[in-house]
Amino acid sequence: MKKIAIIGATGLLGKPVAQRLLDAGFQVRIIARNVQKAKTLFPHADVVYGDLKDRISLIKGLDGQDAVYLNIHIGPYAKKRGFIAETDGIMNLISAAKQAGIKRIAYLTSLVKDYQTESRFKWWIFDAKLKAVQLIKGAGVPYTIFLASSFMENFTKEGGFMNANNLNLVGQSDVKIHWISAADYAKQVCKSFQLLTDENREYIVQGPEAYTTQQALEIFRDHYQKKKLSIIKIPMYSLLLGSLLSTRIGYAYRLLYAKNHYREKFAAQFTWDELGKPTETIAEFTQRIQAL
């Protein structure tokens, strides 16, 4: 498979994947709502307009492509009864993919959504993510599903932890997370497109180090040289109270509650064996992003 369409290439996690595929010699087509932004980020890629709400635009965007990679999410202002990218959008995408003759659908989702299946925790956004996996599995098109741990990019301003000179730590948790950089993940995505033909795959995506969120932030802080950072501890009840007034805070509260309680087990050995072992540590990631 040489011709890969990407939806979500301009996002924090989509950019490294798109760039890695381009660097590896794939013919990459970026399907984006903001065509100008995508062209600015990827001047050497084929960029076309497409919207998950618009099935016709997806058919046009996928025409002539071998596979499609999805890097989408449900944002903090999404409404349960509104258009949901990871259910309604994926149904449109599957329909368009079949019409365009797509031979593989690859999709990034989260490991933490599985907290809902093993606890009393319930959130409609996790319901949607679980449904998205089932929709792709039942589409009748070979699929690759990447189930990812937390990304190191979360430590940055764009990722949400960094705010001015602070790193915000919400709640207290002894749960260890196998942090992975988007650069290492992009290598695995690229390898999957080089390796797979018509088989289905589910890959657990985890990095080489397991730390609690506090431990990870301390490493990031200690290796960050551009400015002095302080870790600010925010009680969970502060977000709980704020969630009564703000949809965005309510979203953050539920997501962070799940992350603080989901006991992630290491399960990525098969992924490492087939797609390569991630190598970038948090310290190395911190040093690399400062050099950009």
Side-chain angles (χ1 to χ4, degrees), residues 9 133 183 201 237:
V133 170
R201 281 288 190 272
Y237 70 78

Side-chain angles (χ1 to χ4, degrees), residues 104 107-109 111 143-149 185 188-189 191-193 195-196 199-206 267-276:
R104 177 167 298 276
Y107 167 64
L108 170 64
T109 189
L111 272 177
Y143 61 80
T144 314
I145 296 173
F146 298 96
L147 301 112
S149 182
Y185 167 65
Q188 293 180 332
V189 174
K191 182 66 174 180
S192 74
F193 280 118
L195 179 71
L196 301 176
E199 57 270 74
N200 296 319
R201 281 288 190 272
E202 286 185 75
Y203 291 116
I204 305 296
V205 176
Q206 294 172 311
Q269 191 60 55
F270 174 77
T271 306
W272 291 6
D273 292 343
E274 194 155 285
L275 303 182

Side-chain angles (χ1 to χ4, degrees), residues 64-117:
Q65 302 301 294
D66 296 322
V68 58
Y69 171 80
L70 296 169
N71 187 88
I72 57 178
H73 74 287
I74 304 171
Y77 298 106
K79 296 181 179 179
K80 187 176 182 178
R81 300 188 184 279
F83 179 87
I84 302 171
E86 289 190 79
T87 51
D88 304 305
I90 282 179
M91 284 190 281
N92 284 340
L93 184 282
I94 289 170
S95 175
K98 288 182 175 181
Q99 189 162 337
I102 290 294
K103 302 178 183 67
R104 177 167 298 276
I105 298 173
Y107 167 64
L108 170 64
T109 189
S110 64
L111 272 177
V112 72
K113 73 181 187 320
D114 294 336
Y115 178 60
Q116 183 152 296
T117 65

Side-chain angles (χ1 to χ4, degrees), residues 52-237:
L52 286 171
K53 294 181 180 179
D54 181 357
R55 190 175 67 88
I56 300 303
S57 73
L58 296 176
I59 294 171
K60 292 178 180 178
L62 295 174
D63 182 50
Q65 302 301 294
D66 296 322
V68 58
Y69 171 80
L70 296 169
N71 187 88
I72 57 178
H73 74 287
I74 304 171
Y77 298 106
K79 296 181 179 179
K80 187 176 182 178
R81 300 188 184 279
F83 179 87
I84 302 171
E86 289 190 79
T87 51
D88 304 305
I90 282 179
M91 284 190 281
N92 284 340
L93 184 282
I94 289 170
S95 175
K98 288 182 175 181
Q99 189 162 337
I102 290 294
K103 302 178 183 67
R104 177 167 298 276
I105 298 173
Y107 167 64
L108 170 64
T109 189
S110 64
L111 272 177
V112 72
K113 73 181 187 320
D114 294 336
Y115 178 60
Q116 183 152 296
T117 65
E118 55 191 54
S119 70
R120 294 182 179 181
F121 179 86
K122 298 297 176 187
W123 190 21
W124 71 267
I125 287 180
F126 280 2
D127 285 336
K129 288 182 175 294
L130 290 164
K131 183 179 179 181
V133 170
Q134 296 308 312
L135 286 170
I136 291 173
K137 285 183 175 181
V141 178
Y143 61 80
T144 314
I145 296 173
F146 298 96
L147 301 112
S149 182
S150 292
F151 286 91
M152 297 176 193
E153 281 69 14
N154 289 331
F155 305 142
T156 67
K157 178 181 177 181
E158 294 81 4
F161 277 108
M162 187 187 295
N163 181 17
N165 295 328
N166 298 326
L167 294 169
N168 293 327
L169 175 65
V170 180
Q172 188 68 34
S173 175
D174 65 348
V175 170
K176 291 191 174 182
I177 296 168
H178 293 80
W179 303 89
I180 185 167
S181 71
D184 270 340
Y185 167 65
K187 294 176 186 177
Q188 293 180 332
V189 174
C190 185
K191 182 66 174 180
S192 74
F193 280 118
Q194 293 168 333
L195 179 71
L196 301 176
T197 53
D198 60 355
E199 57 270 74
N200 296 319
R201 281 288 190 272
E202 286 185 75
Y203 291 116
I204 305 296
V205 176
Q206 294 172 311
E209 299 177 310
Y211 293 109
T212 67
T213 302
Q214 180 169 338
Q215 290 170 338
L217 287 177
E218 288 171 350
I219 296 169
F220 182 81
R221 176 201 62 194
D222 293 346
H223 288 83
Y224 196 85
Q225 302 297 320
K226 283 190 172 182
K227 57 185 177 181
K228 183 176 176 59
L229 295 173
S230 299
I231 295 175
I232 303 299
K233 295 184 178 181
I234 303 171
M236 283 298 296
Y237 70 78

